[in-house]
Amino acid sequence: RQATLSRGHAMQLGLIGVDSSHAEDFLRHFNTERRHNDIAVTALWDDNRERVAALRQLDSSLVAAHSIAALVDQVDAVIVGDRHGDLHHAHSILALAARRPVFIDKPLANSLADARAIVAAAEATGTPLLSGSALRWQSETRRLKAKLAGLDGPIELLAYGTWYPQNDYGGAIFYAIHTVELVQELLGIEWRKLGLASDDPPRVRYKTHQHAVALEFRPLVEGQSSDFGVMVKAGKIKFQQSIALGDDYMLPVADQIAAMLRNSHSPMSRAELLAPIALMEEIDALLRVTA
């Protein structure tokens, strides 16, 4: 089965791992609102039958596959959406082997070893692979990236973001990856001289090209929502920009998936896919040593 789009045929998407509310977002954007008329979610698999049943109540046309292999046989492309990144390798590998384009919700994996194995599987079959935080593709992020590109000289950038280090999904990477990916989208994937700047809240710093970067991981304030943004200083220019996540914050992700499927090409390189996991692994090790 070859994943191609033709006139009158909707590409069929399968959801693997549906414990996240992003499953509802993808169903809404692709099926209910028909934001992309040539793409529809048609099947899903998860070992939590109650969760599968709940999603099928939202859309009775969805097929509940009895295995990942069965789902892969029924669809043209796959979204892997488990909250726990340790599941992403096992849940993506059959689809990649079968040449089904795959989007993996953040993080690509919880370890660099798993991330490399996933990318290698995609490369072995020439299959498009995409992964990323929704923060990468928000309209505020695009505007901020263009603004930073127009500044002269070195930039001092502090990126801040909520994190939940005590969770059931692999620790700090589960939410800290958002802040890591935001900075890499804005200033690139290179880093050097990583070090700890403070520990309450945790803040790390590094250099990228001529720029100085700090990442600050903030605990969630009771009664408030997650908060992400940057503070920038470049010469005499200073400003702060928050990255708002509204009700449709997953729509830009759906748009990226649709573009990959239409083009049969991932917008992210191997290096761009692996860099957030590699940096996060170093940050995690640094925070553990200083804890």
Side-chain angles (χ1 to χ4, degrees):
R1 183 187 187 119
Q2 189 174 1
T4 58
L5 289 171
S6 60
R7 188 180 300 274
H9 169 70
M11 178 174 280
Q12 298 179 57
L13 267 176
L15 302 184
I16 296 174
V18 295
D19 59 335
S20 167
S21 63
H22 293 175
E24 280 89 347
D25 291 319
F26 288 129
L27 287 174
R28 177 164 64 91
H29 294 318
F30 284 119
N31 291 16
T32 305
E33 298 172 352
R34 303 296 295 167
R35 298 296 186 107
H36 298 279
N37 285 326
D38 49 356
I39 302 169
V41 178
T42 59
L44 67 166
W45 176 89
D46 195 287
D47 57 10
N48 184 331
R49 294 183 179 182
E50 291 182 0
R51 177 66 174 147
V52 169
L55 291 172
R56 293 190 71 235
Q57 285 186 338
L58 298 177
D59 187 339
S60 60
S61 70
L62 293 171
V63 174
H66 62 80
S67 67
I68 292 176
L71 179 140
V72 169
D73 284 343
Q74 297 172 32
V75 301
D76 301 299
V78 164
I79 293 173
V80 175
D82 311 273
R83 284 190 174 108
H84 204 308
D86 282 351
L87 299 173
H88 292 172
H89 176 261
H91 287 179
S92 64
I93 203 72
L94 286 177
L96 293 170
R99 293 182 167 84
R100 305 294 193 269
V102 174
F103 171 79
I104 299 178
D105 210 344
K106 65 82 192 166
L108 174 61
N110 278 359
S111 71
L112 185 56
D114 274 359
R116 285 172 172 160
I118 293 169
V119 173
E123 291 175 336
T125 54
T127 303
L129 170 67
L130 178 62
S131 180
S133 161
L135 283 175
R136 284 184 177 272
W137 301 304
Q138 300 304 305
S139 57
E140 291 93 342
T141 305
R142 292 198 304 271
R143 289 192 291 267
L144 179 58
K145 187 175 181 178
K147 186 173 183 177
L148 294 177
L151 297 178
D152 293 326
I155 295 169
E156 296 178 28
L157 184 145
L158 166 66
Y160 57 86
T162 304
W163 76 329
Y164 306 92
Q166 305 302 323
N167 59 67
D168 296 327
Y169 310 114
I173 193 171
F174 173 61
Y175 236 68
I177 196 69
H178 285 303
T179 309
V180 170
E181 292 204 31
L182 173 62
V183 171
Q184 292 194 341
E185 182 68 23
L186 294 174
L187 293 179
I189 64 174
E190 304 297 329
W191 73 89
R192 65 184 189 280
K193 298 183 179 180
L194 178 69
L196 186 70
S198 65
D199 56 10
D200 189 21
R203 181 188 292 186
V204 299
R205 59 174 179 255
Y206 66 85
K207 297 286 188 178
T208 179
H209 307 292
Q210 77 271 35
H211 309 308
V213 172
L215 306 177
E216 186 170 285
F217 305 112
R218 301 176 176 179
L220 181 66
V221 177
E222 186 174 355
Q224 296 186 13
S225 301
S226 297
D227 185 30
F228 301 94
V230 299
M231 300 176 188
V232 175
K233 179 181 178 182
K236 295 182 180 180
I237 298 173
K238 293 182 181 180
F239 64 89
Q240 179 173 351
Q241 175 67 59
S242 63
I243 310 295
L245 297 177
D247 292 341
D248 285 344
Y249 77 96
M250 287 300 290
L251 179 57
V253 181
D255 293 342
Q256 290 291 323
I257 294 169
M260 177 181 73
L261 298 183
R262 294 191 186 107
N263 299 333
S264 297
H265 179 74
S266 173
M268 295 177 71
S269 68
R270 172 189 176 87
E272 289 169 330
L273 288 166
L274 294 177
I277 312 304
L279 178 54
M280 189 64 230
E281 201 162 89
E282 290 190 20
I283 291 172
D284 213 18
L286 182 65
L287 294 179
R288 284 199 302 270
V289 167
T290 56

